[in-house]
């Protein structure tokens, strides 16, 4: 029941390009723990990987509102 652990597993899946598993873990992290660093940024990356750019932009807006600089940097392949 540790949101940070789910976030880290989600990031691992992002790096493996397993976007469905990443999204599942990142959403669980957000449910379990509030204020997890970069959660919206990583959710945006997972949504983009799944071909859902509108959802990705929504998450990145939230990340930017929280002052996370990562949401301002263009994604690299």
């Amino acid at each position: 029941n540790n949101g940070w652990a789910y976030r880290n597993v989600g990031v691992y899946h992002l790096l493996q390009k397993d976007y469905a598993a990443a999204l599942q873990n990142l959403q669980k992290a957000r449910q379990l723990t509030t204020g997890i660093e970069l959660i919206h940024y990583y959710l945006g990356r997972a949504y983009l990987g799944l071909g859902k750019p509108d959802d990705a932009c929504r998450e990145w807006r939230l990340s930017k509102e929280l002052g996370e600089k990562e949401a301002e940097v263009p994604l690299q392949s």
Side-chain angles (χ1 to χ4, degrees):
N1 291 332
N2 183 331
W4 287 93
Y6 279 99
R7 187 205 77 157
N8 292 342
V9 171
V11 171
Y12 169 80
H13 286 294
L14 279 176
L15 294 172
Q16 299 300 311
K17 300 185 188 296
D18 184 353
Y19 301 112
L23 182 62
Q24 182 179 14
N25 281 281
L26 293 166
Q27 288 175 329
K28 183 71 171 178
R30 185 176 54 189
Q31 284 178 322
L32 290 174
T33 307
T34 59
I36 293 182
E37 183 179 349
L38 298 176
I39 192 69
H40 296 292
Y41 169 72
Y42 290 128
L43 280 164
R45 290 192 55 189
Y47 280 123
L48 187 64
L50 290 170
K52 298 180 177 187
D54 292 340
D55 292 327
C57 286
R58 183 190 68 239
E59 293 295 337
W60 287 331
R61 271 190 229 102
L62 291 170
S63 180
K64 190 173 178 181
E65 287 172 12
L66 292 171
E68 297 172 346
K69 292 182 173 95
E70 290 79 0
E72 298 173 10
V73 177
L75 291 177
Q76 298 177 2
S77 331

